[in-house]
mmCIF file of all heavy atoms in Angstrom:
data_model
loop_
_atom_site.group_PDB
_atom_site.id
_atom_site.type_symbol
_atom_site.label_atom_id
_atom_site.label_comp_id
_atom_site.label_asym_id
_atom_site.label_seq_id
_atom_site.Cartn_x
_atom_site.Cartn_y
_atom_site.Cartn_z
ATOM 1 N N ARG B 278 30.525 -25.224 11.896
ATOM 2 C CA ARG B 278 29.910 -24.187 12.720
ATOM 3 C C ARG B 278 30.831 -22.960 12.790
ATOM 4 O O ARG B 278 32.022 -23.087 13.102
ATOM 5 C CB ARG B 278 29.719 -24.755 14.122
ATOM 6 C CG ARG B 278 29.119 -23.781 15.093
ATOM 7 C CD ARG B 278 28.945 -24.443 16.460
ATOM 8 N NE ARG B 278 28.118 -23.611 17.313
ATOM 9 C CZ ARG B 278 28.503 -23.187 18.528
ATOM 10 N NH1 ARG B 278 29.661 -23.529 19.029
ATOM 11 N NH2 ARG B 278 27.698 -22.429 19.237
ATOM 12 N N THR B 421 22.105 -20.775 20.760
ATOM 13 C CA THR B 421 22.426 -20.438 22.150
ATOM 14 C C THR B 421 21.608 -19.222 22.568
ATOM 15 O O THR B 421 21.055 -18.502 21.737
ATOM 16 C CB THR B 421 23.901 -20.075 22.312
ATOM 17 O OG1 THR B 421 24.155 -18.865 21.572
ATOM 18 C CG2 THR B 421 24.806 -21.175 21.790
ATOM 19 N N GLN B 422 21.591 -18.973 23.863
ATOM 20 C CA GLN B 422 20.870 -17.801 24.366
ATOM 21 C C GLN B 422 21.557 -16.521 23.930
ATOM 22 O O GLN B 422 20.908 -15.494 23.734
ATOM 23 C CB GLN B 422 20.752 -17.872 25.888
ATOM 24 C CG GLN B 422 19.852 -19.013 26.331
ATOM 25 C CD GLN B 422 19.629 -19.045 27.830
ATOM 26 O OE1 GLN B 422 19.967 -18.112 28.542
ATOM 27 N NE2 GLN B 422 19.063 -20.137 28.315
ATOM 28 N N ASN B 437 18.072 -14.542 28.646
ATOM 29 C CA ASN B 437 17.875 -15.633 29.600
ATOM 30 C C ASN B 437 16.616 -15.403 30.433
ATOM 31 O O ASN B 437 15.782 -16.298 30.599
ATOM 32 C CB ASN B 437 19.107 -15.727 30.513
ATOM 33 C CG ASN B 437 18.975 -16.817 31.564
ATOM 34 O OD1 ASN B 437 18.326 -16.628 32.583
ATOM 35 N ND2 ASN B 437 19.543 -17.983 31.274
ATOM 36 N N ARG B 438 16.465 -14.178 30.924
ATOM 37 C CA ARG B 438 15.316 -13.902 31.784
ATOM 38 C C ARG B 438 14.002 -13.907 31.002
ATOM 39 O O ARG B 438 12.962 -14.349 31.509
ATOM 40 C CB ARG B 438 15.531 -12.583 32.531
ATOM 41 C CG ARG B 438 16.551 -12.794 33.634
ATOM 42 C CD ARG B 438 17.023 -11.563 34.333
ATOM 43 N NE ARG B 438 17.934 -11.976 35.423
ATOM 44 C CZ ARG B 438 18.983 -11.293 35.843
ATOM 45 N NH1 ARG B 438 19.291 -10.135 35.293
ATOM 46 N NH2 ARG B 438 19.750 -11.757 36.805
ATOM 47 N N GLN B 441 13.029 -17.491 30.498
ATOM 48 C CA GLN B 441 12.452 -18.048 31.713
ATOM 49 C C GLN B 441 10.988 -17.658 31.859
ATOM 50 O O GLN B 441 10.172 -18.456 32.339
ATOM 51 C CB GLN B 441 13.238 -17.555 32.929
ATOM 52 C CG GLN B 441 14.588 -18.216 33.045
ATOM 53 C CD GLN B 441 15.359 -17.735 34.254
ATOM 54 O OE1 GLN B 441 14.825 -17.698 35.356
ATOM 55 N NE2 GLN B 441 16.599 -17.348 34.060
ATOM 56 N N ARG B 444 9.007 -19.831 29.744
ATOM 57 C CA ARG B 444 8.976 -21.171 30.344
ATOM 58 C C ARG B 444 7.984 -21.198 31.490
ATOM 59 O O ARG B 444 7.191 -22.134 31.621
ATOM 60 C CB ARG B 444 10.373 -21.510 30.896
ATOM 61 C CG ARG B 444 11.291 -22.126 29.884
ATOM 62 C CD ARG B 444 12.346 -22.985 30.553
ATOM 63 N NE ARG B 444 13.406 -22.206 31.170
ATOM 64 C CZ ARG B 444 14.609 -22.013 30.634
ATOM 65 N NH1 ARG B 444 14.899 -22.534 29.451
ATOM 66 N NH2 ARG B 444 15.521 -21.307 31.257
ATOM 67 P P DG D 197 35.703 -21.937 24.351
ATOM 68 O OP1 DG D 197 36.018 -21.793 22.917
ATOM 69 O OP2 DG D 197 36.121 -20.907 25.346
ATOM 70 O "O5'" DG D 197 34.132 -22.133 24.480
ATOM 71 C "C5'" DG D 197 33.513 -23.223 23.797
ATOM 72 C "C4'" DG D 197 32.159 -23.460 24.407
ATOM 73 O "O4'" DG D 197 32.307 -23.806 25.795
ATOM 74 C "C3'" DG D 197 31.256 -22.226 24.368
ATOM 75 O "O3'" DG D 197 30.041 -22.642 23.758
ATOM 76 C "C2'" DG D 197 31.069 -21.838 25.835
ATOM 77 C "C1'" DG D 197 31.290 -23.171 26.534
ATOM 78 N N9 DG D 197 31.721 -23.074 27.935
ATOM 79 C C8 DG D 197 32.824 -22.425 28.434
ATOM 80 N N7 DG D 197 32.944 -22.535 29.734
ATOM 81 C C5 DG D 197 31.846 -23.306 30.104
ATOM 82 C C6 DG D 197 31.442 -23.759 31.385
ATOM 83 O O6 DG D 197 31.986 -23.571 32.482
ATOM 84 N N1 DG D 197 30.274 -24.509 31.321
ATOM 85 C C2 DG D 197 29.589 -24.789 30.161
ATOM 86 N N2 DG D 197 28.485 -25.522 30.271
ATOM 87 N N3 DG D 197 29.954 -24.377 28.949
ATOM 88 C C4 DG D 197 31.088 -23.646 29.006
ATOM 89 P P DT D 198 28.965 -21.635 23.285
ATOM 90 O OP1 DT D 198 28.496 -22.205 22.014
ATOM 91 O OP2 DT D 198 29.467 -20.242 23.389
ATOM 92 O "O5'" DT D 198 27.790 -21.770 24.367
ATOM 93 C "C5'" DT D 198 27.268 -23.048 24.681
ATOM 94 C "C4'" DT D 198 26.536 -22.952 25.996
ATOM 95 O "O4'" DT D 198 27.469 -22.771 27.068
ATOM 96 C "C3'" DT D 198 25.559 -21.792 26.094
ATOM 97 O "O3'" DT D 198 24.272 -22.363 26.137
ATOM 98 C "C2'" DT D 198 25.932 -21.085 27.394
ATOM 99 C "C1'" DT D 198 26.761 -22.133 28.113
ATOM 100 N N1 DT D 198 27.756 -21.664 29.105
ATOM 101 C C2 DT D 198 27.600 -22.018 30.425
ATOM 102 O O2 DT D 198 26.662 -22.701 30.834
ATOM 103 N N3 DT D 198 28.554 -21.546 31.282
ATOM 104 C C4 DT D 198 29.649 -20.766 30.952
ATOM 105 O O4 DT D 198 30.444 -20.408 31.809
ATOM 106 C C5 DT D 198 29.766 -20.430 29.552
ATOM 107 C C7 DT D 198 30.911 -19.587 29.085
ATOM 108 C C6 DT D 198 28.827 -20.886 28.704
ATOM 109 P P DC D 199 22.963 -21.484 26.296
ATOM 110 O OP1 DC D 199 21.893 -22.274 25.667
ATOM 111 O OP2 DC D 199 23.259 -20.099 25.895
ATOM 112 O "O5'" DC D 199 22.713 -21.483 27.878
ATOM 113 C "C5'" DC D 199 22.523 -22.725 28.532
ATOM 114 C "C4'" DC D 199 22.365 -22.465 30.015
ATOM 115 O "O4'" DC D 199 23.600 -21.926 30.525
ATOM 116 C "C3'" DC D 199 21.273 -21.458 30.374
ATOM 117 O "O3'" DC D 199 20.413 -22.129 31.290
ATOM 118 C "C2'" DC D 199 22.028 -20.279 31.000
ATOM 119 C "C1'" DC D 199 23.309 -20.948 31.498
ATOM 120 N N1 DC D 199 24.545 -20.123 31.620
ATOM 121 C C2 DC D 199 25.182 -20.005 32.861
ATOM 122 O O2 DC D 199 24.676 -20.557 33.844
ATOM 123 N N3 DC D 199 26.333 -19.291 32.959
ATOM 124 C C4 DC D 199 26.858 -18.714 31.867
ATOM 125 N N4 DC D 199 27.999 -18.023 32.013
ATOM 126 C C5 DC D 199 26.235 -18.827 30.588
ATOM 127 C C6 DC D 199 25.086 -19.532 30.504
ATOM 128 P P DT D 200 19.063 -21.475 31.813
ATOM 129 O OP1 DT D 200 18.152 -22.578 32.198
ATOM 130 O OP2 DT D 200 18.644 -20.449 30.848
ATOM 131 O "O5'" DT D 200 19.534 -20.772 33.140
ATOM 132 C "C5'" DT D 200 20.048 -21.576 34.185
ATOM 133 C "C4'" DT D 200 20.491 -20.705 35.348
ATOM 134 O "O4'" DT D 200 21.701 -20.018 34.998
ATOM 135 C "C3'" DT D 200 19.500 -19.622 35.760
ATOM 136 O "O3'" DT D 200 19.056 -19.969 37.070
ATOM 137 C "C2'" DT D 200 20.299 -18.322 35.723
ATOM 138 C "C1'" DT D 200 21.733 -18.806 35.717
ATOM 139 N N1 DT D 200 22.752 -17.976 35.021
ATOM 140 C C2 DT D 200 23.848 -17.530 35.727
ATOM 141 O O2 DT D 200 24.012 -17.765 36.913
ATOM 142 N N3 DT D 200 24.748 -16.792 34.993
ATOM 143 C C4 DT D 200 24.668 -16.466 33.653
ATOM 144 O O4 DT D 200 25.548 -15.804 33.108
ATOM 145 C C5 DT D 200 23.501 -16.964 32.968
ATOM 146 C C7 DT D 200 23.320 -16.675 31.506
ATOM 147 C C6 DT D 200 22.603 -17.689 33.667
ATOM 148 P P DT D 201 17.871 -19.206 37.779
ATOM 149 O OP1 DT D 201 17.272 -20.161 38.728
ATOM 150 O OP2 DT D 201 17.047 -18.517 36.768
ATOM 151 O "O5'" DT D 201 18.664 -18.117 38.620
ATOM 152 C "C5'" DT D 201 19.697 -18.555 39.493
ATOM 153 C "C4'" DT D 201 20.392 -17.357 40.124
ATOM 154 O "O4'" DT D 201 21.446 -16.905 39.253
ATOM 155 C "C3'" DT D 201 19.497 -16.149 40.377
ATOM 156 O "O3'" DT D 201 19.358 -15.976 41.782
ATOM 157 C "C2'" DT D 201 20.197 -14.980 39.712
ATOM 158 C "C1'" DT D 201 21.589 -15.512 39.428
ATOM 159 N N1 DT D 201 22.153 -14.989 38.157
ATOM 160 C C2 DT D 201 23.445 -14.514 38.138
ATOM 161 O O2 DT D 201 24.171 -14.487 39.107
ATOM 162 N N3 DT D 201 23.866 -14.048 36.923
ATOM 163 C C4 DT D 201 23.127 -14.012 35.743
ATOM 164 O O4 DT D 201 23.609 -13.575 34.703
ATOM 165 C C5 DT D 201 21.787 -14.531 35.837
ATOM 166 C C7 DT D 201 20.897 -14.541 34.639
ATOM 167 C C6 DT D 201 21.359 -14.985 37.029
ATOM 168 P P DG D 202 18.654 -14.732 42.459
ATOM 169 O OP1 DG D 202 18.210 -15.190 43.796
ATOM 170 O OP2 DG D 202 17.695 -14.109 41.527
ATOM 171 O "O5'" DG D 202 19.861 -13.713 42.679
ATOM 172 C "C5'" DG D 202 20.984 -14.098 43.451
ATOM 173 C "C4'" DG D 202 21.873 -12.890 43.664
ATOM 174 O "O4'" DG D 202 22.554 -12.583 42.421
ATOM 175 C "C3'" DG D 202 21.119 -11.624 44.060
ATOM 176 O "O3'" DG D 202 21.866 -10.977 45.079
ATOM 177 C "C2'" DG D 202 21.083 -10.802 42.764
ATOM 178 C "C1'" DG D 202 22.372 -11.219 42.085
ATOM 179 N N9 DG D 202 22.348 -11.132 40.627
ATOM 180 C C8 DG D 202 21.358 -11.581 39.777
ATOM 181 N N7 DG D 202 21.637 -11.376 38.524
ATOM 182 C C5 DG D 202 22.876 -10.754 38.537
ATOM 183 C C6 DG D 202 23.687 -10.287 37.463
ATOM 184 O O6 DG D 202 23.459 -10.339 36.259
ATOM 185 N N1 DG D 202 24.880 -9.718 37.925
ATOM 186 C C2 DG D 202 25.236 -9.618 39.244
ATOM 187 N N2 DG D 202 26.409 -9.034 39.500
ATOM 188 N N3 DG D 202 24.500 -10.047 40.262
ATOM 189 C C4 DG D 202 23.330 -10.595 39.825
ATOM 190 P P DA D 203 21.359 -9.718 45.851
ATOM 191 O OP1 DA D 203 21.796 -9.886 47.248
ATOM 192 O OP2 DA D 203 19.934 -9.482 45.527
ATOM 193 O "O5'" DA D 203 22.211 -8.547 45.174
ATOM 194 C "C5'" DA D 203 23.593 -8.718 44.871
ATOM 195 C "C4'" DA D 203 24.097 -7.395 44.313
ATOM 196 O "O4'" DA D 203 24.047 -7.425 42.868
ATOM 197 C "C3'" DA D 203 23.244 -6.205 44.744
ATOM 198 O "O3'" DA D 203 24.079 -5.089 44.914
ATOM 199 C "C2'" DA D 203 22.282 -6.044 43.572
ATOM 200 C "C1'" DA D 203 23.210 -6.378 42.410
ATOM 201 N N9 DA D 203 22.549 -6.819 41.200
ATOM 202 C C8 DA D 203 21.314 -7.428 41.070
ATOM 203 N N7 DA D 203 20.994 -7.716 39.832
ATOM 204 C C5 DA D 203 22.077 -7.268 39.094
ATOM 205 C C6 DA D 203 22.359 -7.270 37.714
ATOM 206 N N6 DA D 203 21.536 -7.776 36.801
ATOM 207 N N1 DA D 203 23.543 -6.745 37.304
ATOM 208 C C2 DA D 203 24.370 -6.233 38.234
ATOM 209 N N3 DA D 203 24.227 -6.178 39.555
ATOM 210 C C4 DA D 203 23.045 -6.709 39.918
#
Side-chain angles (χ1 to χ4, degrees):
Chain B
R278 179 179 192 235
T421 65
Q422 293 184 11
N437 179 280
R438 286 171 176 147
Q441 287 180 49
R444 273 206 284 259

